[in-house]
Every structure is written in structure tokens, then in C-alpha cells.
């Protein structure tokens, strides 16, 4: 089988999506045909991605040859291409119905197809120059979607904030590519990764590669909305729901994918790993805490994305690139469904039983869950010191399952519910182990494993403890609703600790001077 076949098949989807996006548009009225062509482009993209994956499984090498400079197909990029193509199809089909009858539906579908095509090029690009072009094109195409409703001032403000921050991230990536091209003499992904592996094996790291690693990390931090670069994410909820689904399920993951794709370069600098771990840990805790105080479904999902991207960045900082990749895939699938189904939450509220106040028993359950994770890691031969990332992932998952079982069983008083909850938790835990093992096997020859070490293990342990305390606090908060201190904390968290407020004041002065601040209320 020709080695160029996977690359050529992978390019079909982006080309068709871009072709549909470039069809002539009309400001109103539209062409009914585009409502058919846009979802059809999604089907073609998914078929191309599946065919490319089959070609890889059949033995073709998608990393060599001239075609690989355009589309480099390996286990990492092929899986991401399937994810993006699948989500793109769902969002395109959903949008056709969601905006049915809107005078600008065709323009929206065209911009959405362009965005989906740009993301597909981003994940398969075999040359850093093409990757940077797709990176920028994705942001610019998304901007058109974010300002789809020009009369919504808050949406315009959020889009402009993102536009400025994205250009900062673009600059970091361009600088990194320029340094890599100067140091290595090539921009092909294969050449860059080979040079990075050689430098890592020899122990002699050129200064240029170390500086490039810093720039890559900064670009990823900005793209993945790490605090304080998150200030636009909670405010883009005024855009159409399909945009939120595509943004949170695919585009915001691009920063993490960049780090995983260039993991060989990132591993050349220990300070870069520390930088990623610091940003990730702070963002994960901050986002998770603020999410608890949100009352709007979509806004809560937005803060959930911030927390999840922080956790993913932390995993990259711990060198657990396989776990971070699994996180990207799982988060993309979950968040796309969550946003597209957000409206049904109002019609079909889930039953929630408030558990009695038993903090000591809950703390005991959390301790048992932690011991179970550590014991399972020992049985599987996973060293928490050498590989703290997957163990941390398991701890956070276990604490989340404890929290759900705790409420489902009313704090342990309903034994039947407790038994069902424990059985479901065990099944989920088993699925997690299987998924982690599958991700490690899939990426074994593509993505390196970080060195781990005592410092990484201490960071992971500290964040695991913080996650346990967060679960305890979440269970305790309803019982302290009348406490003024808890009420004050709730107000501060609901406001995102006012980082968004400060950013909006600055943005209104610099980016949206025509928008007026709301008049102060006077009695």
C-alpha cells in the first residue's frame, strides 16, 4: 500500500470543508443547497478520516514522503483527526436545524465548515509553517462565529478579548517556529522531532531548542485558556450553541495537542514542564472552585472547560502526555454532548438527593478511594513517583465517583443505592484503567513519556489533596448556606474572583470604546 495514501485521504475532508466555505454567500435569503452541502462536507471529512486510519492499520507509513509534509498521519494525529471530523459532522448537522429559518444561516454554516476544516489541517499538519497557518486560520474563522450576533455587545467584547489574546499566542508560536527553523535548518515535523530526540539522548540541548520549548508552552497556555488568559471563555456563551460545542470540544484543546505533538521538544527543558504544571494546577483548582458557584448551565460548562484544560496542562507538565491525550479525547466527546444537550436540562432535571452532614464519613470514603487508587497502581506496576500523572488522574476520578455515590446513597444511608453506586463506580474505574492502557499502547512509539520524579510526585500529591478538600467543601457548603463567611465566598467565586471584571474594564476602554458601562443604580 502506498505510504502517501493516508496523507492524501486525510486531506480530503479539509479540502471539501474549505471548498464549501468559499462558495458565494448572500447576506439574507441564502441558498437552500448549502444546508445540504455543509453536513455533506462533514460526512466526507469523517469518511476520509476513517479511510486514513484504515490505511495506517493496513501498514502504510503516513510519516514519510512529500505528502507527509502536508498531512503527517500517525496514531496521535489520526485519532485527533477522527475526533475533530466526528465532532465537526455532529455540529454541522445540528447547526442546520438549530438556525433553520435564520436569514444568515448559510453564512454561519460556511464559517463553521471553514473552522472545522482549519482544525483538521491543524491536527494533521506535517510542517510547522503549515501548522502555524492552520493555528491562525482556526482562530480567525472562529472569530467570525463568535461575532455572529453583532447586536450582542457582551459577545463582541468577549470575541475581541479572545482576538487579542490569540494574536499573543500566535506570536509565541511563530517565534518558536522561527527559532526551531534557525537551529535545525528545517521546519518539517519529522526533522524537528528527530533533532529533539537526538538532543535529548545526547544530553546536550542547544539554547535555541530550550527557548523554543518555552515559546511553545506559552502558546499552549494562552490557547488553552489558562488563568489569567481565560477571561473570554465564560462570556462567549452568547454565541450560538453549536459554536460553544465546537469551541469547548475541539478548538480549546489545540494548546494541549500542540504540547503533546511537540512533546520531544518540550521535554528538553525542565523549567518548561514546571511552567506548564504551575499554570495547569492553578487553573484547575481555580476553575473547579468557581464552577461550583455558577447557576447558568452553559456558564458552568464554560468554567468546567477552564478547569479541565488546566488539569490537561498539568498532566503535560508532569510528563503524562498519554494521560493528557486521553483527557483531550474524553473531554471533547463529553463537552460536545453537554453543550448540544444543555437545553434539555431545563426540561428534564436530574434527581439529586442532598446527603446528610457527615464530613468524617465522607473523608473516610475519600481516604479509602485514595488507597484503592494507589493499591491499583501498585498492582499494575505504575510507580507514583516515576509516573505521577496517571495516578493523579485516577485520584481525581475516584474522588468524583465518591462524590456522586455519596449523594446517590444519601450519605450512605440508602444501602441499595450505595450498592448500585459502588458497582457503577467500579465499572467506571475499570473502564478508566482500560482506556489508560489503550492510550499508552496506542502512543507508545509516537509520544514520549516524561521523566517524573519527586518534584512532580509532590505536585501531584498536593493537587490530589486539594481535590479531596474541594469535594469535602462542596458537600459541606449546602449545610452552611446561612454562614456569612460562606455567603461571601460564594459571591466572590460566582464573580470569578473578579478577574473577568478587571479584564472587561480594560477591554471596554481599549477594544470596545463605543460600549457604555451600565449606569449606576440610585434609589
Amino acid at each position: 500500500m502506498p505510504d502517501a495514501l493516508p496523507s492524501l485521504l486525510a486531506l480530503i475532508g479539509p479540502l471539501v470543508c474549505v471548498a464549501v466555505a468559499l462558495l458565494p454567500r448572500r447576506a439574507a435569503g441564502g441558498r437552500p443547497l448549502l444546508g445540504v452541502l455543509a453536513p455533506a462536507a462533514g460526512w466526507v471529512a469523517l469518511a476520509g478520516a476513517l479511510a486514513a486510519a484504515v490505511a495506517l492499520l493496513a501498514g502504510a507509513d503516513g510519516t514519510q514522503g512529500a505528502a507527509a509534509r502536508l498531512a503527517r498521519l500517525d496514531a496521535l494525529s489520526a485519532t485527533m483527526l477522527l475526533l475533530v471530523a466526528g465532532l465537526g459532522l455532529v455540529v454541522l448537522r445540528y447547526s442546520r436545524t438549530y438556525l433553520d429559518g435564520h436569514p444568515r444561516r448559510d453564512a454561519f454554516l460556511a464559517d463553521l465548515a471553514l473552522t472545522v476544516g482549519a482544525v483538521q489541517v491543524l491536527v494533521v499538519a506535517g510542517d510547522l509553517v503549515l501548522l502555524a497557518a492552520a493555528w491562525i486560520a482556526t482562530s480567525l474563522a472562529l472569530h467570525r462565529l463568535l461575532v455572529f450576533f453583532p447586536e450582542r455587545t457582551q459577545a463582541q467584547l468577549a470575541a475581541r478579548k479572545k482576538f487579542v489574546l490569540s494574536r499573543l499566542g500566535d506570536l509565541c508560536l511563530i517565534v518558536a517556529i522561527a527559532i526551531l527553523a534557525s537551529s535545525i535548518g528545517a521546519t518539517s515535523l519529522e526533522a524537528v522531532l528527530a533533532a529533539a530526540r537526538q538532543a535529548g539522548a545526547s544530553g546536550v540541548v542547544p539554547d535555541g531548542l530550550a527557548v523554543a520549548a518555552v515559546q511553545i508552552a506559552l502558546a499552549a497556555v494562552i490557547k488553552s485558556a489558562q488563568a489569567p488568559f481565560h477571561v473570554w471563555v465564560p462570556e462567549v456563551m452568547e454565541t450560538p450553541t453549536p459554536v460553544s460545542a465546537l469551541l469547548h470540544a475541539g478548538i480549546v484543546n489545540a494548546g494541549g495537542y500542540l504540547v503533546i505533538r511537540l512533546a520531544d521538544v518540550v521535554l528538553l527543558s525542565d523549567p518548561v514542564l514546571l511552567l506548564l504544571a504551575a499554570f495547569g494546577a492553578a487553573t484547575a483548582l481555580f476553575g473547579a472552585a468557581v464552577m461550583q458557584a455558577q447557576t447558568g448551565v452553559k456558564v458552568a460548562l464554560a468554567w468546567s472547560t477552564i478547569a479541565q484544560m488546566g488539569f490537561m496542562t498539568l498532566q503535560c507538565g508532569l510528563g503524562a502526555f498519554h494521560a493528557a491525550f486521553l483527557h483531550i479525547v474524553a473531554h471533547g466527546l463529553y463537552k460536545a454532548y453537554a453543550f448540544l444537550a444543555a437545553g434539555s436540562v431545563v426540561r428534564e432535571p436530574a434527581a439529586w438527593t442532598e446527603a446528610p452532614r457527615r464530613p468524617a464519613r465522607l473523608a473516610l470514603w475519600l481516604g479509602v478511594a485514595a488507597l484503592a487508587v494507589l493499591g491499583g497502581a501498585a498492582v499494575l506496576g505504575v510507580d507514583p513517583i516515576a509516573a505521577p500523572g496517571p495516578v493523579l488522574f485516577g485520584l481525581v476520578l475516584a474522588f468524583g465517583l465518591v462524590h456522586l455515590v455519596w449523594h446517590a446513597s444519601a450519605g450512605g444511608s440508602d444501602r441499595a443505592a450505595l450498592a448500585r453506586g459502588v458497582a457503577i463506580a467500579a465499572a467506571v474505574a475499570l473502564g478508566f484503567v482500560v482506556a489508560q492502557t489503550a492510550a499508552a499502547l496506542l502512543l507508545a512509539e509516537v509520544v514520549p513519556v516524561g521523566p517524573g520524579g519527586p518534584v512532580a510526585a509532590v505536585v501531584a500529591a498536593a493537587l490530589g489533596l486539594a481535590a479531596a478538600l474541594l469535594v469535602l467543601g462542596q458537600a459541606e457548603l449546602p449545610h452552611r448556606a446561612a454562614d456569612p463567611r460562606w455567603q461571601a465566598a460564594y459571591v466572590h467565586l460566582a464573580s470569578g474572583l473578579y478577574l473577568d471584571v478587571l479584564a472587561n474594564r480594560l477591554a471596554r476602554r481599549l477594544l470596545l470604546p463605543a460600549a457604555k458601562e451600565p449606569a449606576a443604580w440610585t434609589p
Side-chain angles (χ1 to χ4, degrees), residues 10-100:
L11 290 172
I12 293 176
L15 290 175
V16 172
C17 288
V18 172
V20 169
L22 295 180
L23 289 174
R25 307 180 187 183
R26 295 179 183 177
R31 304 172 309 283
L33 186 60
L34 193 57
V36 177
L37 290 180
W43 279 111
V44 172
L46 181 59
L50 286 169
V54 170
L56 283 180
L57 292 174
D61 186 355
T63 64
Q64 303 296 326
R69 291 290 295 269
L70 294 176
R72 185 181 191 276
L73 263 290
D74 54 22
L76 174 63
S77 57
T79 305
M80 288 299 298
L81 181 63
L82 284 170
L83 175 67
V84 173
L87 294 178
L89 169 61
V90 172
V91 172
L92 284 167
R93 290 196 62 191
Y94 183 94
S95 300
R96 180 180 62 183
T97 305
Y98 180 84
L99 290 172
D100 188 28

Side-chain angles (χ1 to χ4, degrees), residues 311 326 366 369 373 390-404 425-433 435-436 467 471:
F311 194 65
L326 178 61
L366 293 172
V373 171
V391 177
L392 174 61
F393 199 174
L395 281 174
V396 173
L397 176 64
F399 294 158
L401 292 174
V402 166
H403 183 245
L404 291 177
V428 172
L430 179 61
F432 164 75
V433 172
Q436 281 280 10
V471 171

